């Protein structure tokens, strides 16, 4: 992973983590338009950096929608963006179940180039679980955005999603040892480093597939 890619990852992760708090504070201060306006600026930058006309038009269209939301449906636009993120992750994982190989299998082959019997099926099952997890999050985020107090929405998007994601990752890692007792499994740190180093390539491969 290049230095530029690392910086982008860190900035993206920081924005994802701080976004619910940014929306909460902006609503408390009466400037809720700031959140979608900031994101629209990011998509303008992505449009300028796009390598194809299709990607450029896609990013510009998202920019236009965010700007319209910033003016006309400020609170709803800001609070529904996490729903779109969860839906995008659901579709990203889900499409690999249709076109294959499943996303978890793509990462698993970084640690196990030669699959033993049962690993491919296990990876597919885990991919299904993650797809369902993101679908569940999308529903909960939508319900909270439409009907719950902003504080509840912010708490779920900033704390609960991270907590549930961590629990699911740890639970899968523990279950993997139980499910494959005779297999040498790399450490969680080693697997995470491999995943971070190759996530961009796998992302591009899935997008191109």
């Amino acid at each position: 992973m290049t230095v530029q890619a690392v910086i982008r990852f860190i900035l993206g992760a920081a924005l994802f983590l701080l976004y619910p708090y940014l929306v909460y504070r902006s609503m408390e201060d009466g400037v809720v338009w700031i959140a979608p306006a900031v994101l629209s600026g990011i998509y303008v930058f992505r449009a300028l950096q796009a390598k194809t006309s299709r990607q450029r038009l896609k990013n510009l269209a998202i920019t236009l929608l965010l700007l319209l939301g910033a003016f006309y449906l400020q609170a709803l636009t800001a609070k529904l963006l996490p729903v779109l993120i969860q839906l995008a992750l659901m579709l990203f994982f889900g499409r690999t179940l249709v076109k294959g190989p499943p996303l978890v299998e793509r990462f698993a082959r970084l640690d196990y180039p030669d699959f033993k019997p049962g690993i491919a099926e296990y990876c597919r099952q885990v991919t299904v679980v993650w797809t369902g997890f993101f679908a569940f999050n999308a529903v909960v985020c939508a319900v909270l955005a439409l009907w719950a107090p902003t504080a509840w929405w912010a708490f779920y998007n900033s704390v609960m999603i991270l907590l549930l994601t961590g629990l699911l990752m740890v639970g899968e890692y523990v279950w993997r040892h139980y499910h494959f007792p005779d297999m040498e499994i790399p450490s969680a740190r080693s697997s995470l480093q491999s995943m971070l180093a190759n996530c961009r390539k796998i992302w591009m491969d899935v997008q191109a597939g």
Side-chain angles (χ1 to χ4, degrees):
M1 183 179 287
T2 64
V3 174
Q4 186 179 14
V6 172
I7 294 175
R8 286 183 179 179
F9 176 80
I10 293 174
L11 292 177
L15 179 61
F16 177 79
L17 293 173
L18 293 175
Y19 182 79
Y21 178 75
L22 173 64
V23 173
Y24 176 75
R25 290 305 313 169
S26 64
M27 293 188 71
E28 289 288 307
D29 297 337
V31 287
V32 69
W33 56 268
I34 287 180
V38 168
L39 287 180
S40 69
I42 293 174
Y43 275 96
V44 167
F45 177 77
R46 294 187 63 180
L48 295 175
Q49 296 293 318
K51 296 181 179 179
T52 65
S53 298
R54 181 179 178 183
Q55 291 176 330
R56 188 174 298 108
L57 289 174
K58 178 182 177 182
N59 288 320
L60 288 175
I62 294 174
T63 299
L64 179 60
L65 291 174
L66 288 170
L67 289 175
L68 289 173
F71 280 100
Y72 297 107
L73 295 169
Q74 298 176 354
L76 187 60
T77 299
K79 292 171 74 174
L80 284 181
L81 285 174
V83 179
L84 300 180
I85 292 174
Q86 297 300 317
L87 287 175
L89 289 170
M90 179 196 74
L91 293 174
F92 184 70
F93 275 71
R95 72 182 293 185
T96 64
L97 292 171
V98 177
K99 294 187 177 181
L103 188 62
V104 174
E105 179 178 333
R106 297 171 190 249
F107 283 107
R109 288 192 179 277
L110 300 174
D111 293 325
Y112 314 101
D114 299 319
F115 267 18
K116 296 181 180 179
I119 296 181
E121 293 79 6
Y122 177 82
C123 289
R124 183 174 185 82
Q125 293 170 359
V126 175
T127 304
V128 170
V129 171
W130 277 106
T131 303
F133 173 71
F134 292 124
F136 169 79
N137 277 336
V139 172
V140 174
C141 290
V143 170
L144 292 175
L146 293 171
W147 294 295
T150 303
W152 293 12
W153 171 89
F155 178 75
Y156 187 84
N157 282 280
S158 61
V159 177
M160 288 305 300
I161 282 183
L162 293 179
L163 180 61
L164 292 174
T165 301
L167 288 174
L168 185 54
M169 294 177 67
V170 172
E172 187 280 322
Y173 187 73
V174 173
W175 176 254
R176 193 189 316 168
H177 284 78
Y178 175 81
H179 194 74
F180 300 104
D182 300 325
M183 186 172 65
E184 183 178 351
I185 297 176
S187 67
R189 179 179 179 180
S190 174
S191 296
L192 181 60
Q193 289 175 337
S194 177
M195 184 171 62
L196 291 176
N198 294 277
C199 61
R200 178 174 174 79
K201 180 181 182 303
I202 290 177
W203 169 272
M204 299 301 295
D205 289 343
V206 173
Q207 293 294 330

Coordinates of all heavy atoms in Angstrom, one line a residue, residues 90-174:
M90 N -23.5 -3.6 1.5 CA -24.3 -4.8 1.3 C -24.3 -5.3 -0.2 O -24.1 -6.5 -0.5 CB -25.8 -4.5 1.7 CG -26.7 -5.7 1.5 SD -28.5 -5.2 1.5 CE -28.6 -4.4 -0.1
L91 N -24.4 -4.3 -1.1 CA -24.4 -4.7 -2.5 C -23.0 -5.1 -2.9 O -22.8 -6.0 -3.8 CB -24.8 -3.5 -3.3 CG -26.3 -3.0 -3.2 CD1 -26.5 -1.7 -4.0 CD2 -27.2 -4.2 -3.7
F92 N -22.0 -4.5 -2.3 CA -20.6 -4.9 -2.7 C -20.3 -6.3 -2.3 O -19.8 -7.1 -3.1 CB -19.6 -3.9 -2.0 CG -18.2 -4.2 -2.3 CD1 -17.7 -3.9 -3.6 CD2 -17.3 -4.7 -1.4 CE1 -16.4 -4.1 -3.9 CE2 -16.0 -4.9 -1.7 CZ -15.5 -4.6 -3.0
F93 N -20.7 -6.7 -1.1 CA -20.5 -8.1 -0.6 C -21.4 -9.0 -1.4 O -21.0 -10.1 -1.8 CB -20.8 -8.2 0.9 CG -19.6 -7.9 1.8 CD1 -19.2 -6.6 1.9 CD2 -19.0 -8.9 2.5 CE1 -18.1 -6.3 2.7 CE2 -17.9 -8.6 3.3 CZ -17.4 -7.3 3.4
G94 N -22.7 -8.6 -1.6 CA -23.7 -9.4 -2.2 C -23.4 -9.8 -3.7 O -23.6 -10.9 -4.1
R95 N -22.8 -8.8 -4.4 CA -22.5 -9.1 -5.8 C -21.5 -10.1 -6.0 O -21.5 -10.9 -7.0 CB -22.1 -7.8 -6.5 CG -20.7 -7.3 -6.2 CD -20.4 -6.0 -6.9 NE -20.3 -6.2 -8.3 CZ -20.0 -5.2 -9.2 NH1 -19.7 -4.0 -8.7 NH2 -19.8 -5.4 -10.5
T96 N -20.6 -10.3 -5.0 CA -19.6 -11.3 -5.1 C -20.2 -12.7 -4.9 O -19.6 -13.7 -5.2 CB -18.4 -11.1 -4.1 OG1 -18.9 -11.2 -2.8 CG2 -17.8 -9.7 -4.4
L97 N -21.3 -12.8 -4.2 CA -22.0 -14.0 -4.0 C -22.6 -14.5 -5.4 O -22.8 -15.7 -5.6 CB -23.1 -13.9 -3.0 CG -22.7 -13.7 -1.5 CD1 -23.9 -13.3 -0.7 CD2 -21.9 -14.9 -1.0
V98 N -22.9 -13.5 -6.2 CA -23.6 -13.8 -7.5 C -22.5 -14.1 -8.6 O -22.6 -15.2 -9.3 CB -24.5 -12.7 -8.0 CG1 -25.1 -13.0 -9.3 CG2 -25.6 -12.4 -7.0
K99 N -21.5 -13.2 -8.7 CA -20.5 -13.4 -9.7 C -19.3 -14.2 -9.2 O -18.7 -14.9 -10.1 CB -20.0 -12.0 -10.2 CG -21.1 -11.2 -10.8 CD -20.6 -9.9 -11.4 CE -21.7 -9.2 -12.2 NZ -21.2 -7.9 -12.8
G100 N -19.0 -14.2 -7.9 CA -18.0 -15.0 -7.4 C -16.6 -14.6 -7.8 O -16.4 -13.9 -8.8
P101 N -15.6 -15.1 -7.1 CA -15.7 -15.8 -5.8 C -16.2 -14.8 -4.7 O -16.0 -13.6 -4.9 CB -14.3 -16.3 -5.5 CG -13.4 -15.3 -6.3 CD -14.1 -14.9 -7.5
P102 N -16.8 -15.3 -3.7 CA -17.2 -14.5 -2.6 C -16.1 -13.6 -2.0 O -15.0 -14.0 -2.0 CB -17.8 -15.5 -1.5 CG -18.1 -16.7 -2.3 CD -17.1 -16.8 -3.4
L103 N -16.5 -12.5 -1.5 CA -15.5 -11.5 -1.1 C -14.6 -12.1 0.0 O -13.3 -11.8 0.0 CB -16.2 -10.2 -0.6 CG -15.2 -9.0 -0.3 CD1 -14.5 -8.6 -1.5 CD2 -16.0 -7.9 0.3
V104 N -15.1 -12.8 1.0 CA -14.3 -13.3 2.1 C -13.3 -14.3 1.5 O -12.2 -14.4 2.0 CB -15.2 -14.0 3.1 CG1 -14.4 -14.7 4.2 CG2 -16.1 -12.9 3.8
E105 N -13.7 -15.1 0.5 CA -12.8 -16.0 -0.1 C -11.6 -15.3 -0.8 O -10.5 -15.8 -0.7 CB -13.5 -16.9 -1.2 CG -12.6 -17.9 -1.9 CD -13.3 -18.7 -2.9 OE1 -14.5 -19.0 -2.7 OE2 -12.7 -19.2 -3.8
R106 N -11.9 -14.1 -1.4 CA -10.8 -13.4 -2.0 C -9.7 -13.0 -1.0 O -8.5 -13.0 -1.3 CB -11.3 -12.1 -2.7 CG -12.3 -12.4 -3.8 CD -13.0 -11.2 -4.3 NE -14.1 -11.4 -5.2 CZ -14.1 -11.2 -6.5 NH1 -13.0 -10.6 -7.1 NH2 -15.1 -11.4 -7.3
F107 N -10.2 -12.6 0.2 CA -9.2 -12.2 1.2 C -8.6 -13.5 1.8 O -7.4 -13.5 2.2 CB -9.9 -11.4 2.3 CG -10.2 -10.0 2.0 CD1 -11.4 -9.5 1.7 CD2 -9.1 -9.1 1.9 CE1 -11.7 -8.2 1.3 CE2 -9.3 -7.8 1.6 CZ -10.6 -7.3 1.3
A108 N -9.4 -14.5 2.0 CA -8.8 -15.8 2.6 C -7.7 -16.4 1.7 O -6.7 -16.9 2.3 CB -9.9 -16.8 2.7
R109 N -7.8 -16.2 0.4 CA -6.7 -16.8 -0.4 C -5.4 -16.1 -0.3 O -4.4 -16.6 -0.7 CB -7.2 -16.8 -1.9 CG -8.3 -17.8 -2.2 CD -8.5 -18.0 -3.7 NE -9.6 -19.0 -3.9 CZ -9.4 -20.3 -4.0 NH1 -8.1 -20.7 -3.7 NH2 -10.3 -21.1 -4.2
L110 N -5.4 -14.9 0.3 CA -4.2 -14.2 0.7 C -3.4 -15.0 1.7 O -2.2 -15.0 1.7 CB -4.4 -12.8 1.1 CG -5.2 -11.9 0.2 CD1 -5.5 -10.5 0.8 CD2 -4.3 -11.6 -1.1
D111 N -4.1 -15.6 2.6 CA -3.5 -16.4 3.7 C -3.4 -17.9 3.3 O -2.5 -18.6 3.8 CB -4.3 -16.3 5.0 CG -4.3 -14.9 5.6 OD1 -3.3 -14.2 5.5 OD2 -5.3 -14.5 6.1
Y112 N -4.3 -18.4 2.5 CA -4.4 -19.8 2.1 C -4.4 -19.9 0.6 O -5.5 -20.1 0.0 CB -5.5 -20.5 2.8 CG -5.8 -20.2 4.2 CD1 -6.7 -19.3 4.6 CD2 -5.0 -20.8 5.2 CE1 -6.9 -19.0 6.0 CE2 -5.2 -20.5 6.5 CZ -6.2 -19.6 6.9 OH -6.4 -19.3 8.2
P113 N -3.3 -19.8 -0.1 CA -3.4 -19.9 -1.6 C -4.0 -21.2 -2.1 O -4.7 -21.2 -3.1 CB -1.9 -19.8 -2.0 CG -1.2 -19.2 -0.8 CD -2.0 -19.6 0.4
D114 N -3.7 -22.3 -1.4 CA -4.3 -23.6 -1.7 C -5.4 -24.0 -0.7 O -5.1 -24.4 0.4 CB -3.2 -24.7 -1.7 CG -2.1 -24.4 -2.8 OD1 -2.5 -23.9 -3.9 OD2 -0.9 -24.6 -2.5
F115 N -6.6 -23.9 -1.1 CA -7.7 -24.2 -0.2 C -7.9 -25.7 0.1 O -7.8 -26.5 -0.8 CB -9.0 -23.7 -0.9 CG -9.4 -22.3 -0.5 CD1 -8.4 -21.4 0.0 CD2 -10.7 -21.8 -0.7 CE1 -8.7 -20.1 0.4 CE2 -11.0 -20.5 -0.3 CZ -10.0 -19.7 0.2
K116 N -8.1 -25.9 1.4 CA -8.5 -27.3 1.8 C -10.0 -27.5 1.6 O -10.7 -26.5 1.5 CB -8.0 -27.5 3.2 CG -6.5 -27.5 3.4 CD -6.2 -27.8 4.9 CE -4.6 -27.7 5.1 NZ -4.3 -27.9 6.5
P117 N -10.5 -28.7 1.6 CA -11.9 -28.9 1.5 C -12.7 -28.2 2.6 O -12.3 -28.2 3.8 CB -12.0 -30.4 1.6 CG -10.7 -31.0 1.1 CD -9.7 -30.0 1.6
G118 N -13.8 -27.6 2.2 CA -14.6 -26.9 3.2 C -14.4 -25.4 3.4 O -15.2 -24.7 3.9
I119 N -13.2 -24.9 3.0 CA -12.9 -23.5 3.2 C -13.7 -22.6 2.3 O -14.2 -21.6 2.7 CB -11.4 -23.3 3.0 CG1 -10.5 -24.0 4.1 CG2 -11.1 -21.8 3.1 CD1 -9.1 -23.8 4.0
A120 N -13.8 -23.0 1.0 CA -14.6 -22.2 0.1 C -16.1 -22.1 0.5 O -16.6 -21.0 0.5 CB -14.5 -22.8 -1.3
E121 N -16.6 -23.2 1.0 CA -18.0 -23.1 1.5 C -18.2 -22.2 2.7 O -19.1 -21.5 2.9 CB -18.5 -24.5 1.8 CG -18.7 -25.4 0.6 CD -17.4 -26.0 0.1 OE1 -16.3 -25.8 0.8 OE2 -17.4 -26.7 -1.0
Y122 N -17.2 -22.3 3.6 CA -17.2 -21.5 4.8 C -17.1 -20.0 4.4 O -17.8 -19.2 5.0 CB -16.0 -21.9 5.7 CG -15.8 -21.1 6.9 CD1 -16.6 -21.4 8.1 CD2 -14.9 -20.0 7.0 CE1 -16.5 -20.6 9.2 CE2 -14.8 -19.3 8.1 CZ -15.6 -19.5 9.2 OH -15.4 -18.8 10.4
C123 N -16.2 -19.7 3.5 CA -16.0 -18.3 3.1 C -17.3 -17.8 2.5 O -17.7 -16.6 2.7 CB -14.9 -18.2 2.1 SG -13.2 -18.4 2.8
R124 N -18.0 -18.6 1.8 CA -19.3 -18.1 1.2 C -20.3 -17.9 2.3 O -21.0 -16.9 2.2 CB -19.8 -19.2 0.2 CG -21.1 -18.8 -0.5 CD -21.6 -19.7 -1.5 NE -22.8 -19.2 -2.2 CZ -22.7 -18.3 -3.2 NH1 -21.5 -17.9 -3.7 NH2 -23.8 -17.9 -3.8
Q125 N -20.4 -18.7 3.3 CA -21.3 -18.5 4.4 C -21.0 -17.3 5.2 O -21.9 -16.5 5.6 CB -21.2 -19.8 5.3 CG -21.8 -21.0 4.7 CD -21.5 -22.3 5.6 OE1 -20.8 -22.2 6.6 NE2 -21.9 -23.4 5.1
V126 N -19.7 -17.0 5.4 CA -19.3 -15.8 6.1 C -19.6 -14.5 5.3 O -20.1 -13.5 5.8 CB -17.8 -15.8 6.4 CG1 -17.3 -14.5 7.0 CG2 -17.5 -16.9 7.4
T127 N -19.5 -14.6 4.0 CA -19.9 -13.5 3.1 C -21.4 -13.2 3.2 O -21.8 -12.1 3.2 CB -19.4 -13.8 1.6 OG1 -18.0 -14.0 1.6 CG2 -19.8 -12.6 0.7
V128 N -22.2 -14.3 3.2 CA -23.6 -14.1 3.4 C -23.9 -13.4 4.7 O -24.8 -12.5 4.8 CB -24.3 -15.5 3.3 CG1 -25.8 -15.4 3.8 CG2 -24.2 -16.1 2.0
V129 N -23.2 -13.8 5.8 CA -23.4 -13.2 7.1 C -23.1 -11.7 7.0 O -23.9 -10.9 7.5 CB -22.6 -13.9 8.2 CG1 -22.6 -13.1 9.5 CG2 -23.1 -15.3 8.4
W130 N -22.0 -11.3 6.4 CA -21.7 -9.9 6.3 C -22.7 -9.1 5.5 O -23.0 -8.0 5.8 CB -20.3 -9.8 5.8 CG -19.2 -9.9 6.8 CD1 -18.3 -11.0 7.0 CD2 -18.8 -9.0 7.8 NE1 -17.5 -10.8 8.0 CE2 -17.8 -9.5 8.6 CE3 -19.3 -7.7 8.2 CZ2 -17.2 -8.9 9.7 CZ3 -18.7 -7.1 9.3 CH2 -17.7 -7.7 10.0
T131 N -23.1 -9.8 4.4 CA -24.1 -9.1 3.6 C -25.4 -8.8 4.4 O -26.0 -7.7 4.3 CB -24.5 -10.0 2.3 OG1 -23.3 -10.3 1.6 CG2 -25.5 -9.3 1.4
G132 N -25.8 -9.8 5.1 CA -27.0 -9.7 6.0 C -26.8 -8.6 7.1 O -27.7 -7.9 7.4
F133 N -25.6 -8.6 7.6 CA -25.2 -7.6 8.6 C -25.4 -6.2 8.1 O -26.0 -5.3 8.8 CB -23.8 -7.8 9.1 CG -23.3 -6.8 10.1 CD1 -23.8 -6.7 11.4 CD2 -22.3 -5.9 9.7 CE1 -23.3 -5.8 12.3 CE2 -21.8 -5.0 10.6 CZ -22.3 -4.9 11.8
F134 N -24.9 -5.9 6.9 CA -25.0 -4.6 6.4 C -26.4 -4.2 6.0 O -26.9 -3.1 6.1 CB -24.1 -4.4 5.1 CG -22.6 -4.5 5.5 CD1 -21.8 -5.4 4.9 CD2 -22.1 -3.6 6.4 CE1 -20.4 -5.4 5.2 CE2 -20.7 -3.6 6.7 CZ -19.9 -4.5 6.1
A135 N -27.2 -5.2 5.6 CA -28.6 -5.0 5.3 C -29.4 -4.6 6.6 O -30.2 -3.7 6.6 CB -29.3 -6.2 4.7
F136 N -29.0 -5.3 7.7 CA -29.6 -5.0 9.0 C -29.3 -3.6 9.4 O -30.2 -2.9 9.9 CB -29.1 -6.0 10.0 CG -29.5 -5.7 11.4 CD1 -30.7 -5.9 11.9 CD2 -28.5 -5.1 12.3 CE1 -31.1 -5.6 13.2 CE2 -28.8 -4.8 13.6 CZ -30.1 -5.0 14.1
N137 N -28.0 -3.2 9.3 CA -27.6 -1.9 9.6 C -28.3 -0.8 8.8 O -28.7 0.2 9.4 CB -26.1 -1.7 9.4 CG -25.3 -2.3 10.6 OD1 -25.8 -2.3 11.7 ND2 -24.1 -2.7 10.3
A138 N -28.5 -1.1 7.5 CA -29.2 -0.1 6.7 C -30.6 0.1 7.2 O -31.1 1.3 7.2 CB -29.2 -0.6 5.2
V139 N -31.3 -0.9 7.6 CA -32.7 -0.8 8.1 C -32.7 0.0 9.4 O -33.5 0.9 9.5 CB -33.3 -2.2 8.2 CG1 -34.7 -2.1 8.9 CG2 -33.5 -2.9 6.9
V140 N -31.8 -0.4 10.3 CA -31.8 0.3 11.6 C -31.5 1.8 11.4 O -32.1 2.7 12.0 CB -30.8 -0.4 12.5 CG1 -30.7 0.4 13.8 CG2 -31.2 -1.8 12.8
C141 N -30.5 2.1 10.6 CA -30.1 3.5 10.3 C -31.2 4.3 9.7 O -31.4 5.4 10.1 CB -28.9 3.5 9.4 SG -27.3 2.9 10.2
A142 N -32.0 3.6 8.8 CA -33.1 4.3 8.2 C -34.2 4.6 9.2 O -34.8 5.7 9.2 CB -33.6 3.5 7.0
V143 N -34.5 3.6 10.0 CA -35.5 3.8 11.1 C -35.1 4.9 12.0 O -35.9 5.8 12.4 CB -35.8 2.5 11.8 CG1 -36.6 2.7 13.1 CG2 -36.4 1.5 10.9
L144 N -33.9 4.9 12.5 CA -33.4 6.0 13.4 C -33.4 7.3 12.7 O -33.7 8.3 13.4 CB -32.0 5.6 13.9 CG -31.9 4.4 14.8 CD1 -30.4 4.1 15.1 CD2 -32.7 4.6 16.1
A145 N -33.0 7.4 11.5 CA -33.0 8.7 10.8 C -34.3 9.3 10.6 O -34.5 10.5 10.7 CB -32.3 8.5 9.4
L146 N -35.3 8.4 10.4 CA -36.7 8.9 10.1 C -37.5 9.2 11.4 O -38.3 10.2 11.4 CB -37.4 7.9 9.2 CG -36.9 7.8 7.8 CD1 -37.6 6.6 7.1 CD2 -37.1 9.0 7.0
W147 N -37.3 8.4 12.4 CA -38.2 8.5 13.6 C -37.6 8.7 14.9 O -38.3 9.0 15.9 CB -39.1 7.3 13.6 CG -40.0 7.2 12.4 CD1 -41.0 8.0 12.1 CD2 -40.0 6.2 11.4 NE1 -41.6 7.7 10.9 CE2 -41.0 6.5 10.4 CE3 -39.2 5.1 11.1 CZ2 -41.3 5.8 9.3 CZ3 -39.5 4.3 10.0 CH2 -40.5 4.7 9.1
A148 N -36.3 8.5 15.0 CA -35.7 8.6 16.4 C -35.0 9.9 16.6 O -34.7 10.7 15.7 CB -34.6 7.5 16.5
P149 N -34.8 10.3 17.9 CA -34.0 11.5 18.2 C -32.6 11.4 17.6 O -32.0 10.4 17.4 CB -33.9 11.5 19.7 CG -35.1 10.6 20.1 CD -35.2 9.6 19.1
T150 N -32.1 12.6 17.2 CA -30.7 12.7 16.6 C -29.7 12.0 17.5 O -28.7 11.4 16.9 CB -30.4 14.1 16.3 OG1 -31.4 14.7 15.5 CG2 -29.0 14.2 15.6
A151 N -29.8 12.1 18.8 CA -28.8 11.6 19.7 C -28.7 10.0 19.5 O -27.7 9.4 19.5 CB -29.1 11.9 21.1
W152 N -29.9 9.4 19.4 CA -30.0 8.0 19.2 C -29.3 7.6 17.9 O -28.5 6.6 17.8 CB -31.4 7.5 19.2 CG -32.1 7.6 20.5 CD1 -31.7 8.3 21.6 CD2 -33.4 7.0 20.9 NE1 -32.6 8.2 22.6 CE2 -33.6 7.4 22.2 CE3 -34.3 6.2 20.2 CZ2 -34.8 7.0 22.9 CZ3 -35.4 5.8 20.8 CH2 -35.7 6.2 22.2
W153 N -29.6 8.3 16.8 CA -29.1 8.1 15.5 C -27.6 8.2 15.6 O -26.8 7.3 15.0 CB -29.7 9.1 14.5 CG -29.0 9.1 13.2 CD1 -29.3 8.3 12.1 CD2 -27.9 9.8 12.7 NE1 -28.5 8.5 11.1 CE2 -27.6 9.5 11.4 CE3 -27.1 10.8 13.4 CZ2 -26.6 10.1 10.7 CZ3 -26.1 11.4 12.7 CH2 -25.8 11.0 11.3
A154 N -27.1 9.2 16.2 CA -25.6 9.5 16.3 C -24.9 8.4 17.1 O -23.8 7.9 16.7 CB -25.3 10.8 16.9
F155 N -25.6 7.9 18.2 CA -25.0 6.9 19.0 C -24.8 5.6 18.2 O -23.8 4.9 18.3 CB -25.8 6.7 20.3 CG -25.3 5.6 21.2 CD1 -24.2 5.8 22.0 CD2 -25.9 4.4 21.2 CE1 -23.7 4.8 22.8 CE2 -25.4 3.3 22.0 CZ -24.3 3.6 22.8
Y156 N -25.9 5.2 17.5 CA -25.8 4.0 16.8 C -24.8 4.0 15.7 O -24.0 3.1 15.5 CB -27.2 3.6 16.2 CG -27.2 2.2 15.5 CD1 -27.5 1.1 16.3 CD2 -27.0 2.1 14.2 CE1 -27.5 -0.1 15.7 CE2 -26.9 0.8 13.6 CZ -27.2 -0.3 14.4 OH -27.2 -1.6 13.8
N157 N -24.7 5.1 14.9 CA -23.8 5.2 13.8 C -22.4 5.4 14.2 O -21.5 5.0 13.5 CB -24.2 6.4 12.9 CG -25.4 6.0 12.0 OD1 -25.2 5.3 11.0 ND2 -26.6 6.4 12.4
S158 N -22.2 6.0 15.4 CA -20.8 6.2 15.9 C -20.2 5.2 16.8 O -19.0 4.9 16.8 CB -20.7 7.6 16.5 OG -21.5 7.6 17.7
V159 N -21.1 4.5 17.6 CA -20.7 3.6 18.6 C -21.1 2.1 18.3 O -20.3 1.2 18.2 CB -21.1 4.0 20.0 CG1 -20.7 2.9 21.0 CG2 -20.6 5.3 20.3
M160 N -22.4 2.0 18.1 CA -23.0 0.6 18.0 C -22.6 -0.1 16.8 O -22.2 -1.3 16.8 CB -24.5 0.7 18.1 CG -25.1 1.0 19.4 SD -24.5 -0.1 20.7 CE -25.1 -1.7 20.1
I161 N -22.5 0.6 15.6 CA -22.1 -0.1 14.4 C -20.6 -0.6 14.5 O -20.3 -1.7 14.2 CB -22.2 0.9 13.2 CG1 -23.7 0.9 12.8 CG2 -21.3 0.4 12.0 CD1 -23.9 1.8 11.5
L162 N -19.8 0.3 15.1 CA -18.4 -0.2 15.3 C -18.3 -1.3 16.3 O -17.5 -2.3 16.1 CB -17.5 1.0 15.8 CG -17.3 2.2 14.9 CD1 -16.5 3.3 15.5 CD2 -16.6 1.7 13.6
L163 N -19.1 -1.3 17.4 CA -19.1 -2.3 18.4 C -19.6 -3.6 17.7 O -19.0 -4.7 17.9 CB -20.0 -1.9 19.5 CG -20.1 -3.0 20.7 CD1 -18.7 -3.3 21.3 CD2 -21.0 -2.5 21.8
L164 N -20.7 -3.6 17.0 CA -21.2 -4.8 16.4 C -20.3 -5.3 15.3 O -20.1 -6.6 15.2 CB -22.6 -4.5 15.8 CG -23.7 -4.1 16.7 CD1 -25.0 -3.7 16.0 CD2 -24.0 -5.3 17.6
T165 N -19.6 -4.5 14.6 CA -18.7 -4.9 13.6 C -17.5 -5.6 14.2 O -17.1 -6.7 13.8 CB -18.1 -3.7 12.8 OG1 -19.2 -3.1 12.1 CG2 -17.1 -4.2 11.7
G166 N -17.0 -5.0 15.3 CA -15.9 -5.7 16.1 C -16.3 -7.0 16.6 O -15.5 -8.0 16.6
L167 N -17.5 -7.1 17.2 CA -18.0 -8.4 17.7 C -18.1 -9.4 16.7 O -17.8 -10.6 16.9 CB -19.3 -8.2 18.5 CG -19.3 -7.4 19.8 CD1 -20.7 -7.1 20.3 CD2 -18.5 -8.2 20.8
L168 N -18.6 -9.0 15.5 CA -18.7 -10.0 14.4 C -17.4 -10.5 13.9 O -17.2 -11.7 13.7 CB -19.5 -9.3 13.3 CG -19.9 -10.2 12.1 CD1 -20.6 -11.5 12.5 CD2 -20.7 -9.4 11.0
M169 N -16.4 -9.6 13.8 CA -15.1 -10.0 13.4 C -14.4 -10.9 14.4 O -13.8 -11.9 14.0 CB -14.2 -8.7 13.2 CG -14.7 -7.8 12.0 SD -13.7 -6.3 11.9 CE -12.1 -7.0 11.4
V170 N -14.5 -10.6 15.7 CA -13.9 -11.4 16.7 C -14.6 -12.8 16.8 O -14.0 -13.8 16.9 CB -14.0 -10.7 18.1 CG1 -13.5 -11.7 19.2 CG2 -13.1 -9.5 18.1
G171 N -16.0 -12.7 16.7 CA -16.7 -13.9 16.7 C -16.4 -14.9 15.6 O -16.2 -16.1 15.8
E172 N -16.2 -14.3 14.4 CA -15.8 -15.1 13.2 C -14.5 -15.7 13.4 O -14.2 -16.9 13.1 CB -15.9 -14.3 12.0 CG -15.7 -15.1 10.7 CD -14.3 -15.4 10.4 OE1 -13.4 -14.5 10.6 OE2 -14.0 -16.5 9.9
Y173 N -13.5 -14.9 14.0 CA -12.2 -15.4 14.2 C -12.1 -16.6 15.2 O -11.4 -17.6 15.0 CB -11.3 -14.3 14.6 CG -9.8 -14.6 14.7 CD1 -9.1 -14.7 13.5 CD2 -9.2 -14.8 15.9 CE1 -7.7 -15.0 13.6 CE2 -7.8 -15.1 16.0 CZ -7.1 -15.2 14.8 OH -5.8 -15.6 14.9
V174 N -12.9 -16.4 16.2 CA -13.0 -17.5 17.2 C -13.6 -18.8 16.6 O -13.2 -19.9 16.8 CB -13.7 -17.0 18.5 CG1 -14.0 -18.2 19.4 CG2 -13.0 -15.9 19.2

